[in-house]
Amino acid sequence: MAPSDRADSARKHQLLELAYAHVLDHGLADMSLRPLAEAVGSSPRVLLFLFGSKDALVQALLARAREEETGMLDAVRPARAGAGHGLAEAGRLVWGWLADPAHRKLLTLWVEGYSRSLAGGGGPWAGFAERTIADWLAVFAAAQPPAHRDTPEALAERTLLLAVLRGALLDLLATGDEPRAGAAVAAHLRTLESVHREAPAP
């Protein structure tokens, strides 16, 4: 890589991090290049040169948000492949991260990207919701016992857990009522634990 390419790459990374901090505070819905460029100490021309287009910049910002989310999910994965530390425990760890006030801005941005993706069509939002669902389901699958995880029942269990967590997250972001949303999640996790305690050993 030539020195000029390395400089461009370093500047691109720096501007991406500054832009990411900006959209965490202001969202992506009404983002325009001129105010964003002013906020990060650059210019629209430089942003377009480094990222190619506004859509490509939005895609890079969504990928940055997803990178933070998948970092959390990786931390929840069992330490050993196939260890299966329990779906309820995985749900408890994920909810602890989701409910942390320090992650509120990121999760609000995630919901914005998710809802834009559901509107359909192409553009930078395309496939964002589907990819995040796949990320979460993969983590929950890894937390299930190997002999169980490929069954239709196991798929239904992790899909239901994802639905409960996603619904509780939307409630929490809308109301800020963590005790109520957390109690609902805890109730589902207790049900999940009781089902597996009562299940016969394979």
Side-chain angles (χ1 to χ4, degrees), residues 30-72:
D30 300 316
M31 189 188 84
S32 59
L33 285 181
R34 188 170 299 281
L36 176 64
E38 290 176 359
V40 301
S42 185
S43 69
R45 182 180 63 82
V46 169
L47 291 178
L48 289 174
F49 172 75
L50 291 174
F51 291 94
S53 67
K54 179 181 174 180
D55 277 1
L57 174 56
V58 171
Q59 282 184 321
L61 290 166
L62 289 172
R64 177 65 181 82
R66 183 168 175 247
E67 178 184 306
E68 196 161 347
E69 176 200 356
T70 54
M72 174 274 294

Side-chain angles (χ1 to χ4, degrees), residues 8 37 74-75 77 88 107 118 122 135 142-143 178 192:
D8 285 347
D74 285 342
R77 292 180 190 275
L107 293 168
L118 294 181
D135 291 337
E178 194 280 330
L192 193 57

Side-chain angles (χ1 to χ4, degrees), residues 108-121:
T108 300
L109 183 65
W110 174 82
V111 169
E112 183 182 356
Y114 192 93
S115 60
R116 284 292 191 98
S117 178
L118 294 181

Side-chain angles (χ1 to χ4, degrees), residues 87-121:
L87 191 56
E89 179 61 17
R92 189 171 290 109
L93 292 170
V94 170
W95 178 250
W97 190 90
L98 295 175
D100 186 340
H103 304 140
R104 209 59 49 87
K105 290 180 180 180
L106 166 63
L107 293 168
T108 300
L109 183 65
W110 174 82
V111 169
E112 183 182 356
Y114 192 93
S115 60
R116 284 292 191 98
S117 178
L118 294 181

